[in-house]
Amino acid sequence: TFGLRGSILSESSVMGVRGLQGFVGSTCPHICTVVNFKELAEHHRSKYPGCTPTIVVDAMCCLRYWYTPESWICGGQWREYFSALRDFVKTFTAVGIKLIFFFDGMVEQDKRDEWVKRRLKNNREISRIFHYIKSHKEQPGRNMFFIPSGLAVFTRFALKTLGQETLCSLQEADYEVASYGLQHNCLGILGEDTDYLIYDTCPYFSISELCLESLDTIMLCREKLCESLGLCVADLPLLACLLGNDIIPEGMFESFRYKCLSSYTSVKENFDKKGNIVLAVSDHISKVLHLYQGEKKLEELLPLGPNRALFYKGMASYLLPGQKSPWFFQKPKSVITLDKQVVSMSSDPESRQEVPMCTDPESRQEVPMCTDPESRQEVPMCTDPESRQEVPMCTDPESRQEVPMCTDPESRQEVPMGTDPESRQEVPMCTGPESRQEVLMWTDSESRQEIIMYTGHESKQEVPVCTDPISKQEDSMCTHPEINQKLPVATDSEFKLMCTNPEIKQEDSANVGLEIKQQVTMVSDTEILKVARAHHVQAESYLVYNIMSSGEIECSNTLEDELDQALPSQAFIYRPIRQRVYSLLLENCQDVASTCPAVKEWFVYPGNPLRHPDLVRPLQMTVPGGTPSLKTLWLNQEPEIQVRRLDTLLACFNLSSSREELQAVESPFQALCCLLIYLFVQVDTLCLEDLHAFIAQALCLQGKSTSQLVNLQPDYINSRAVQLGSLLVRGLTTLVLVNSACGFPWKMSDFMPWNVFDGKLFHQKYLQSEKGYAVEVLLEQNRSRLTKFHNLKAVVCKACMKENRRITGRVHWGSHHAGRWGRQGSGSHRTGSGYSRSGQGQPWRDQGPGSRQYEHDQWRRY
């Protein structure tokens, strides 16, 4: 029998609409239909000859189901995981099904609160995990399962290695998945997110119910869901927002839901509380709200209050390109006259989309939308009484002000002009110089928030962005009730414009001079941004485009013990590397770092409440011969440039002095040695026994099969070894970032974990080394490995000595190794936090988190 499983994912951890997962499983199970992918593919081929059956996979939803190895606590069983992915792909390929994998490429601002909420919840789960390890010295049961660090990052590269089409989103992945499935007539979507029941797209299949051997799973039918609730598919976005989702907090409409529940007369005793709420809200939509559909705005029917803008944003987030919602207030279609011309609703013969009418709810006048023949973008038109020429207009429904388009005399591009209802001053819009992006902006008179509409030539979609005038932070916000489709953030992403309020010099009422201050992403070089965007979309890089476009990155939870003062968080250890990468990517910062904008880091570490991002400034680095430009690193194909790329990579790790020693190391250990040198220089509490374990496991891994690794069982689980395993894997993801930023001087395969790291194997070597076993035992009496071991150890120790770091055994430790760490001249500290890295310093965890700035400062090891 099939049903929605609850053994691994609780309702609170399931992504999507609040309460819907449980409702479907307990109250409405008939919408779940058992299907077989092989049969569906055959039917699809007969219906669409010549069309390959394609399934769009929401990879982020599937990670925990793909990770089938029994051991997950030691840092990851990467060879086993790679083998499981290969079997997954082979099974679908064998029946002629093509898979397209989508990964989240960023966290949208309106979903940041939900992201933070889940990360803090994960922190509590991690604390329980370490408490269990210390108490039982074994891995917890699957009910406490936590995916290994870096799993999402390395899964992208694993799938690409397996020849699969793998894409990284430019916004929240679920929208791009749903859009791709609809536009490409896909067989369906494979994932685990109730939002896919809300989108009006292709069928939705559950990854949690997939039996890989038979290719059976369940299909969740949105039409049957609507039939059970008395709704139509177009009502589902409204239902989702009233129940709460990743955009609308669950508590926003709590009182409204309970009012619906109190008036709902069809309550059955066998329905659970949440199921009753879903039915009650659906009943209110069908019997009350439907009566006023098209006649009244939703804010007149619902208690939106100050959340009006957020609510419309949530509604619009479910509308795919070309779709409209009947719940956005519009006058009936009619014929209107503009400048003695009759204009009515029509269809674009190429796009097959209706030309919509933009209705001003106050003046009740309709403004026709024309289509730009080049970009196929909708542009409202009016007639200029002076020139008698039609001029594209944007109309603000609240202020009743029209936004004329002016022409930039240099670029010959139209620049929309918005009017601030408060100052009554015209505000020019930002136009991407090569993307043909027009940015329409108006101000919501209720929320006093600027609404910026991006229209991209490639995406053919409009993108609303709200700029908070207080924080000056962008938020993809849809406050306009007439917006009739989801407008994704930065789909034409290299021009994610960050417009600031212009300074206006008003000389007289008839002559207004404008001085425009605008910032086009963090980097202004459009050619470089396009290269970065392409690598990002094709899942070939990591974080590079995020840094260059929005200047904001995040890193999820890592298995770190908040009670262990001896090991710092990976977020701090690798921060100096990231700071140097920021300096490289934000090229205008290389001369005067103090004037460079800070990068916002949402990194999870113990003690960080994640109320604000950490503001981290670039750190200047020294590259032999000078820092090359990104155009040189990324676009120059001359053979000698490869040397410059490697020089730049080593400079990011501050290891330029060890170049010769590292070049002598064979692949794939070169990158691993670079990482180990950096780690041991940075963290004084790492000892010789740790180094032996890291090197021994990498050497022994080369000669082991997947089945041998499966059967490997450490004597017990050590909490410190758990942290070290996760720390190394996070270092490998940092290598991916640096290698991407420097133009790929090393092959990515050299630091894929299935080639250099295995969690259980490392754990075994760690326990043996801790007990004082001889190196020969660690290397399993293999003489050929012994020579390589001593060579690799010599490279690491010699490089560390150049930095005045002598790696000693645990028996040589003094009381000063109680948990303070640092590295002279390589890092940063929180200015104004009350603590300093100079002198004896303070334990690293004592530093209070917040949106403080991090800059270069001298650290000393304690």
Side-chain angles (χ1 to χ4, degrees):
T1 58
F2 285 81
L4 294 180
R5 297 175 185 170
S7 58
I8 295 178
L9 286 178
S10 64
E11 178 68 48
S12 61
S13 64
V14 172
M15 294 178 287
V17 184
R18 305 296 177 262
L20 190 55
Q21 182 93 354
F23 173 78
V24 169
S26 62
T27 307
C28 208
H30 64 279
I31 80 161
C32 304
T33 305
V34 181
V35 295
N36 181 271
F37 278 127
K38 184 178 180 180
E39 296 173 359
L40 290 175
E42 292 173 353
H43 179 265
H44 189 275
R45 276 189 289 268
S46 63
K47 187 176 181 181
Y48 305 101
C51 180
T52 303
T54 302
I55 294 177
V56 197
V57 183
D58 186 338
M60 302 301 288
C61 293
C62 299
L63 292 177
R64 63 174 57 240
Y65 302 103
W66 286 335
Y67 190 85
T68 56
E70 181 183 347
S71 173
W72 48 269
I73 198 73
C74 299
Q77 302 310 113
W78 296 96
R79 284 269 180 93
E80 296 176 55
Y81 180 61
F82 188 88
S83 179
L85 285 177
R86 182 169 52 219
D87 291 342
F88 181 87
V89 169
K90 279 185 177 180
T91 303
F92 282 92
T93 304
V95 296
I97 295 177
K98 180 182 179 181
L99 300 174
I100 306 288
F101 297 89
F102 275 84
F103 287 81
D104 277 332
M106 54 87 72
V107 177
E108 292 187 18
Q109 290 302 318
D110 50 273
K111 295 191 177 184
R112 178 64 70 186
D113 288 344
E114 184 63 28
W115 184 89
V116 168
K117 180 181 176 181
R118 289 174 180 167
R119 302 294 84 75
L120 296 178
K121 180 177 182 289
N122 289 345
N123 278 344
R124 296 190 291 272
E125 294 175 355
I126 289 173
S127 295
R128 290 175 54 229
I129 289 172
F130 275 101
H131 181 268
Y132 185 95
I133 293 172
K134 293 172 184 176
S135 302
H136 299 84
K137 295 189 180 299
E138 66 181 16
Q139 175 179 281
R142 189 76 177 185
N143 62 315
M144 296 176 69
F145 170 73
F146 199 86
I147 65 172
S149 301
L151 193 68
V153 176
F154 292 119
T155 301
R156 303 178 198 174
F157 293 98
L159 291 170
K160 292 183 76 68
T161 302
L162 293 169
Q164 297 304 294
E165 185 171 347
T166 307
L167 302 172
C168 195
S169 71
L170 293 166
Q171 60 189 102
E172 201 75 17
D174 58 358
Y175 181 83
E176 294 194 13
V177 167
S179 180
Y180 188 96
L182 177 66
Q183 294 176 349
H184 293 81
N185 192 30
C186 291
L187 189 64
I189 293 168
L190 185 62
E192 201 67 26
D193 187 338
T194 48
D195 276 334
Y196 293 125
L197 270 174
I198 308 301
Y199 286 112
D200 187 4
T201 182
C202 57
Y204 162 42
F205 306 106
S206 169
I207 181 64
S208 69
E209 299 297 339
L210 175 65
C211 175
L212 196 59
E213 290 76 16
S214 63
L215 280 180
D216 287 338
T217 188
I218 65 168
M219 178 179 71
L220 292 88
C221 180
R222 62 184 65 87
E223 287 75 16
K224 289 185 179 179
L225 175 64
C226 288
E227 183 180 341
S228 301
L229 299 177
L231 303 176
C232 61
V233 173
D235 298 329
L236 293 179
L238 176 60
L239 174 66
C241 290
L242 292 175
L243 293 176
N245 54 25
D246 291 346
I247 296 177
I248 309 296
E250 190 173 6
M252 183 180 295
F253 293 103
E254 187 172 9
S255 60
F256 168 80
R257 289 193 295 270
Y258 279 98
K259 286 181 182 178
C260 293
L261 187 60
S262 64
S263 61
Y264 182 54
T265 58
S266 302
V267 176
K268 299 180 181 179
E269 293 182 359
N270 61 329
F271 286 176
D272 60 51
K273 180 180 177 182
K274 286 195 173 181
N276 283 330
I277 290 177
V278 175
L279 290 170
V281 173
S282 300
D283 186 71
H284 184 81
I285 292 173
S286 63
K287 295 182 179 178
V288 179
L289 300 186
H290 269 171
L291 296 177
Y292 302 98
Q293 190 178 46
E295 298 181 10
K296 290 186 177 182
K297 300 179 183 179
L298 281 175
E299 56 263 37
E300 299 177 54
L301 303 172
L302 296 171
L304 302 186
N307 300 310
R308 170 177 169 269
L310 184 61
F311 181 79
Y312 279 113
K313 167 67 180 178
M315 287 278 289
S317 70
Y318 289 110
L319 301 179
L320 303 178
Q323 294 180 350
K324 300 178 183 179
S325 171
W327 292 104
F328 290 142
F329 183 79
Q330 289 184 348
K331 292 289 292 180
K333 299 178 182 179
S334 62
V335 177
I336 66 170
T337 302
L338 274 183
D339 193 28
K340 299 180 181 181
Q341 294 184 12
V342 178
V343 183
S344 63
M345 297 294 292
S346 64
S347 297
D348 181 344
E350 292 188 24
S351 66
R352 298 183 182 179
Q353 294 181 350
E354 288 187 332
V355 180
M357 311 295 291
C358 177
T359 305
D360 182 342
E362 301 294 337
S363 64
R364 300 187 179 182
Q365 292 182 347
E366 292 182 331
V367 181
M369 305 287 288
C370 76
T371 302
D372 182 343
E374 291 188 9
S375 65
R376 299 185 188 177
Q377 295 172 350
E378 296 174 341
V379 182
M381 302 295 296
C382 77
T383 302
D384 184 347
E386 299 288 337
S387 63
R388 297 184 181 180
Q389 293 179 345
E390 288 187 329
V391 181
M393 301 290 296
C394 173
T395 304
D396 179 359
E398 298 293 338
S399 64
R400 301 185 230 175
Q401 294 176 338
E402 293 179 330
V403 185
M405 306 279 287
C406 71
T407 303
D408 182 343
E410 294 186 7
S411 63
R412 298 183 180 178
Q413 293 181 343
E414 290 181 330
V415 182
M417 303 292 293
T419 304
D420 182 346
E422 298 292 331
S423 63
R424 298 184 181 179
Q425 294 173 335
E426 288 187 326
V427 181
M429 310 311 168
C430 310
T431 303
E434 292 185 10
S435 67
R436 299 182 184 175
Q437 277 190 325
E438 292 175 344
V439 187
L440 309 179
M441 178 166 60
W442 69 86
T443 300
D444 185 327
S445 59
E446 293 186 10
S447 64
R448 296 186 180 180
Q449 292 177 328
E450 290 179 340
I451 313 301
I452 303 172
M453 296 290 294
Y454 295 103
T455 56
H457 172 68
E458 295 181 7
S459 66
K460 304 178 186 178
Q461 296 173 350
E462 294 179 337
V463 186
V465 175
C466 173
T467 303
D468 184 342
I470 304 298
S471 64
K472 295 184 180 179
Q473 290 182 346
E474 291 184 355
D475 190 10
S476 62
M477 193 71 73
C478 176
T479 63
H480 199 314
E482 279 72 41
I483 291 177
N484 54 20
Q485 76 176 48
K486 154 87 182 207
L487 308 169
V489 175
T491 304
D492 226 44
S493 53
E494 68 266 24
F495 302 107
K496 184 182 178 185
L497 308 179
M498 297 164 63
C499 299
T500 59
N501 291 332
E503 290 186 0
I504 301 178
K505 300 177 180 178
Q506 187 167 349
E507 299 176 2
D508 55 65
S509 59
N511 184 18
V512 179
L514 298 175
E515 180 182 343
I516 303 174
K517 287 185 178 180
Q518 69 181 44
Q519 182 180 4
V520 183
T521 69
M522 296 285 281
V523 175
S524 58
D525 190 326
T526 56
E527 182 181 13
I528 285 298
L529 280 169
K530 287 179 180 179
V531 175
R533 179 186 185 272
H535 284 310
H536 174 94
V537 170
Q538 295 301 320
E540 295 170 350
S541 64
Y542 173 57
L543 295 182
V544 169
Y545 183 69
N546 306 66
I547 295 165
M548 300 177 71
S549 59
S550 65
E552 188 167 11
I553 62 173
E554 54 275 323
C555 180
S556 189
N557 305 77
T558 305
L559 283 179
E560 296 174 335
D561 184 4
E562 62 180 351
L563 301 179
D564 185 353
Q565 295 288 318
L567 282 174
S569 171
Q570 64 87 20
F572 294 128
I573 292 176
Y574 298 117
R575 175 171 282 164
I577 300 176
R578 297 195 300 274
Q579 288 179 280
R580 296 187 185 98
V581 171
Y582 300 159
S583 176
L584 177 66
L585 296 179
L586 309 177
E587 292 182 290
N588 55 339
C589 305
Q590 292 174 8
D591 295 330
V592 186
S594 59
T595 62
C596 203
V599 174
K600 299 176 183 177
E601 289 190 350
W602 293 92
F603 275 57
V604 182
Y605 52 85
N608 184 5
L610 295 170
R611 295 191 187 97
H612 309 283
D614 293 330
L615 304 180
V616 182
R617 292 196 177 277
L619 180 62
Q620 292 187 68
M621 60 180 175
T622 303
V623 181
T627 304
S629 67
L630 292 180
K631 284 189 175 180
T632 299
L633 293 174
W634 294 5
L635 304 177
N636 194 319
Q637 302 302 318
E638 298 297 325
E640 61 270 15
I641 299 301
Q642 193 69 1
V643 176
R644 304 285 288 133
R645 295 186 181 108
L646 180 58
D647 286 341
T648 308
L649 181 145
L650 294 178
C652 289
F653 284 87
N654 202 24
L655 295 177
S656 299
S657 61
S658 301
R659 189 182 193 281
E660 291 185 9
E661 291 87 344
L662 285 169
Q663 275 196 304
V665 177
E666 63 183 21
S667 177
F669 305 113
Q670 197 175 57
L672 179 65
C673 276
C674 175
L675 181 57
L676 290 177
I677 294 167
Y678 179 84
L679 275 177
F680 278 79
V681 170
Q682 284 286 328
V683 187
D684 276 357
T685 52
L686 294 177
C687 60
L688 200 59
E689 289 82 359
D690 300 329
L691 180 61
H692 288 177
F694 279 128
I695 297 176
Q697 72 85 27
L699 290 171
C700 292
L701 178 62
Q702 309 307 311
K704 292 193 179 297
S705 65
T706 302
S707 59
Q708 287 176 310
L709 295 171
V710 170
N711 296 324
L712 189 66
Q713 294 298 330
D715 294 338
Y716 62 92
I717 300 299
N718 178 283
S719 62
R720 185 172 183 273
V722 168
Q723 289 194 82
L724 290 181
S726 295
L727 178 61
L728 186 82
V729 173
R730 284 298 187 197
L732 295 176
T733 63
T734 305
L735 267 167
V736 175
L737 164 62
V738 178
N739 199 53
S740 305
C742 296
F744 307 98
W746 281 337
K747 294 183 298 183
M748 284 290 195
S749 60
D750 285 353
F751 35 90
M752 292 298 108
W754 47 87
N755 291 327
V756 294
F757 179 79
D758 180 87
K760 284 194 299 184
L761 185 59
F762 168 72
H763 219 90
Q764 182 192 65
K765 303 306 177 186
Y766 177 90
L767 296 178
Q768 291 174 347
S769 184
E770 186 184 46
K771 293 175 183 177
Y773 282 30
V775 172
E776 289 79 6
V777 177
L778 267 62
L779 299 173
E780 301 169 3
Q781 307 298 334
N782 187 306
R783 287 181 175 273
S784 64
R785 292 175 190 160
L786 188 61
T787 302
K788 292 180 181 178
F789 176 90
H790 286 298
N791 289 339
L792 296 178
K793 177 182 174 181
V795 169
V796 174
C797 291
K798 182 179 179 181
C800 288
M801 285 299 294
K802 289 182 179 180
E803 300 293 329
N804 299 318
R805 166 71 158 104
R806 182 169 175 263
I807 305 175
T808 60
R810 197 165 279 128
V811 293
H812 299 293
W813 280 12
S815 60
H816 64 285
H817 281 95
R820 293 166 173 83
W821 69 290
R823 179 205 190 290
Q824 185 175 1
S826 71
S828 61
H829 74 292
R830 293 190 178 216
T831 59
S833 65
Y835 300 98
S836 172
R837 291 292 184 200
S838 61
Q840 291 186 348
Q842 293 286 342
W844 67 273
R845 294 192 195 275
D846 288 345
Q847 298 188 38
S851 58
R852 305 182 190 276
Q853 294 188 354
Y854 291 74
E855 303 178 320
H856 174 55
D857 193 35
Q858 295 293 312
W859 286 356
R860 296 182 188 173
R861 296 196 308 274
Y862 182 81

